[in-house]
Amino acid sequence: MAQHEESMWERIFSRENMLKALGRVEANRGAPGVDGMSVKELPKHLKANWLTIRTKLDAREYEPSPVRRVMIPKPDGGERQLGIPTVQDRLIQQAMHQVLSEEYDPKFSESSYGFRPGRSAHDAVRTAQGYIEGGKK
């Protein structure tokens, strides 16, 4: 593994980043995944199991749990499927997201709007309208 990858890996699973991720998962609340564990149960679970989880992550043997599927109503009628990861998987995803976003988001083009913090499809449309109004084609 390259030095840069090691430092990023360590940043992702640092105590500071994991505590920040835990705070985000707790703030988002959300329903339990397939294992039935609630967000409130997560800290106790981590105290009892973190060393095993981290060992599996480091060995590249960690496998996320299946996602619980639920149907939720759409505003215009009908339903759509929603996938709910376990709270443990949400924690790991959040920890990775925090570090990867910090690392890579600044490198994206200013013209990029998809899945970016503080940007939306509406922002992209407004920008495009501004270009048109300004004479750009």
Side-chain angles (χ1 to χ4, degrees):
M1 193 180 325
Q3 181 64 29
H4 182 70
E5 290 178 79
E6 286 176 334
S7 65
M8 184 176 291
W9 188 259
E10 289 306 317
R11 283 174 39 210
I12 289 169
F13 296 110
S14 70
R15 181 173 175 76
E16 178 185 348
N17 192 55
M18 292 303 295
L19 288 171
K20 182 179 172 186
L22 179 60
R24 294 292 300 269
V25 169
E26 288 175 329
N28 290 340
R29 297 188 308 271
V34 293
D35 61 359
M37 185 189 315
S38 71
V39 172
K40 285 187 174 191
E41 296 171 280
L42 183 57
K44 183 178 179 183
H45 169 77
L46 292 172
K47 283 180 183 165
N49 297 287
W50 179 247
L51 290 178
T52 302
I53 296 165
R54 178 64 195 258
T55 299
K56 286 182 179 182
L57 286 162
D58 288 342
R60 310 300 193 257
E61 294 171 357
Y62 182 87
E63 289 192 30
S65 297
V67 174
R68 184 166 70 97
R69 302 284 178 194
V70 296
M71 299 302 289
I72 61 170
K74 293 167 70 173
D76 60 349
E79 294 181 319
R80 72 175 181 90
Q81 195 174 60
L82 178 69
I84 303 173
T86 64
V87 292
Q88 177 178 299
D89 289 341
R90 277 184 256 168
L91 173 73
I92 292 167
Q93 291 167 7
Q94 181 64 39
M96 290 181 168
H97 168 75
Q98 289 167 179
V99 171
L100 293 174
S101 292
E102 183 182 289
E103 177 79 18
Y104 293 107
D105 192 64
K107 297 174 184 175
F108 287 169
S109 165
E110 277 302 310
S111 301
S112 175
Y113 287 85
F115 304 100
R116 303 266 316 274
R119 294 176 180 232
S120 69
H122 295 292
D123 295 327
V125 170
R126 278 191 287 277
T127 300
Q129 288 171 333
Y131 289 151
I132 292 167
E133 290 168 6
K136 291 185 180 179
K137 294 183 182 182

